mmCIF file of all heavy atoms in Angstrom:
data_model
loop_
_atom_site.group_PDB
_atom_site.id
_atom_site.type_symbol
_atom_site.label_atom_id
_atom_site.label_comp_id
_atom_site.label_asym_id
_atom_site.label_seq_id
_atom_site.Cartn_x
_atom_site.Cartn_y
_atom_site.Cartn_z
ATOM 1 N N CYS M 6 21.742 26.250 5.151
ATOM 2 C CA CYS M 6 20.809 27.016 5.980
ATOM 3 C C CYS M 6 20.968 28.489 5.605
ATOM 4 O O CYS M 6 22.100 28.967 5.524
ATOM 5 C CB CYS M 6 21.109 26.793 7.465
ATOM 6 S SG CYS M 6 20.231 27.937 8.551
ATOM 7 N N TRP M 8 20.732 31.010 7.246
ATOM 8 C CA TRP M 8 21.403 31.785 8.303
ATOM 9 C C TRP M 8 22.816 31.290 8.601
ATOM 10 O O TRP M 8 23.697 32.071 8.874
ATOM 11 C CB TRP M 8 20.564 31.751 9.595
ATOM 12 C CG TRP M 8 19.358 32.621 9.490
ATOM 13 C CD1 TRP M 8 19.316 33.977 9.652
ATOM 14 C CD2 TRP M 8 18.037 32.217 9.164
ATOM 15 N NE1 TRP M 8 18.037 34.441 9.448
ATOM 16 C CE2 TRP M 8 17.232 33.378 9.154
ATOM 17 C CE3 TRP M 8 17.441 30.992 8.877
ATOM 18 C CZ2 TRP M 8 15.870 33.348 8.874
ATOM 19 C CZ3 TRP M 8 16.089 30.959 8.605
ATOM 20 C CH2 TRP M 8 15.319 32.123 8.597
ATOM 21 N N CYS M 9 23.007 29.963 8.559
ATOM 22 C CA CYS M 9 24.278 29.399 9.050
ATOM 23 C C CYS M 9 25.206 28.932 7.936
ATOM 24 O O CYS M 9 26.353 28.593 8.197
ATOM 25 C CB CYS M 9 24.021 28.222 9.980
ATOM 26 S SG CYS M 9 22.812 28.588 11.250
ATOM 27 N N PHE M 17 19.754 18.594 10.427
ATOM 28 C CA PHE M 17 18.443 19.142 10.048
ATOM 29 C C PHE M 17 17.308 18.133 10.259
ATOM 30 O O PHE M 17 17.526 16.930 10.256
ATOM 31 C CB PHE M 17 18.452 19.534 8.565
ATOM 32 C CG PHE M 17 19.446 20.616 8.235
ATOM 33 C CD1 PHE M 17 20.767 20.287 7.912
ATOM 34 C CD2 PHE M 17 19.078 21.952 8.261
ATOM 35 C CE1 PHE M 17 21.687 21.283 7.611
ATOM 36 C CE2 PHE M 17 19.993 22.950 7.963
ATOM 37 C CZ PHE M 17 21.298 22.622 7.632
ATOM 38 N N HIS M 59 16.601 23.690 11.093
ATOM 39 C CA HIS M 59 18.015 23.488 11.439
ATOM 40 C C HIS M 59 18.105 23.107 12.926
ATOM 41 O O HIS M 59 18.543 23.894 13.765
ATOM 42 C CB HIS M 59 18.821 24.754 11.114
ATOM 43 C CG HIS M 59 20.294 24.507 11.117
ATOM 44 N ND1 HIS M 59 21.222 25.485 10.883
ATOM 45 C CD2 HIS M 59 21.008 23.367 11.323
ATOM 46 C CE1 HIS M 59 22.445 24.964 10.949
ATOM 47 N NE2 HIS M 59 22.333 23.680 11.224
ATOM 48 N N GLY M 62 21.342 23.431 14.940
ATOM 49 C CA GLY M 62 22.067 24.643 14.606
ATOM 50 C C GLY M 62 21.321 25.834 15.172
ATOM 51 O O GLY M 62 21.079 25.916 16.374
ATOM 52 N N CYS M 63 20.849 26.727 14.271
ATOM 53 C CA CYS M 63 20.169 27.932 14.735
ATOM 54 C C CYS M 63 18.732 27.664 15.155
ATOM 55 O O CYS M 63 18.069 28.542 15.679
ATOM 56 C CB CYS M 63 20.196 28.980 13.629
ATOM 57 S SG CYS M 63 19.283 28.481 12.161
ATOM 58 N N ARG M 64 18.232 26.455 14.898
ATOM 59 C CA ARG M 64 16.875 26.042 15.265
ATOM 60 C C ARG M 64 15.799 26.881 14.582
ATOM 61 O O ARG M 64 14.728 27.090 15.125
ATOM 62 C CB ARG M 64 16.689 26.070 16.776
ATOM 63 C CG ARG M 64 17.682 25.193 17.494
ATOM 64 C CD ARG M 64 16.996 24.407 18.585
ATOM 65 N NE ARG M 64 17.529 24.745 19.871
ATOM 66 C CZ ARG M 64 16.841 24.666 21.011
ATOM 67 N NH1 ARG M 64 15.599 24.259 20.990
ATOM 68 N NH2 ARG M 64 17.396 24.964 22.139
ATOM 69 N N ARG M 65 16.125 27.375 13.395
ATOM 70 C CA ARG M 65 15.114 28.119 12.650
ATOM 71 C C ARG M 65 14.624 27.319 11.440
ATOM 72 O O ARG M 65 15.386 26.536 10.870
ATOM 73 C CB ARG M 65 15.666 29.460 12.196
ATOM 74 C CG ARG M 65 15.702 30.441 13.372
ATOM 75 C CD ARG M 65 15.954 31.834 12.920
ATOM 76 N NE ARG M 65 17.389 32.096 12.823
ATOM 77 C CZ ARG M 65 17.909 33.308 12.717
ATOM 78 N NH1 ARG M 65 17.132 34.362 12.648
ATOM 79 N NH2 ARG M 65 19.211 33.474 12.643
HETATM 80 ZN ZN1 ZN Y 502 20.848 27.476 10.743
#
Side-chain angles (χ1 to χ4, degrees):
Chain M
C6 169
W8 286 280
C9 311
F17 298 88
H59 194 181
C63 64
R64 302 223 242 152
R65 283 192 273 195

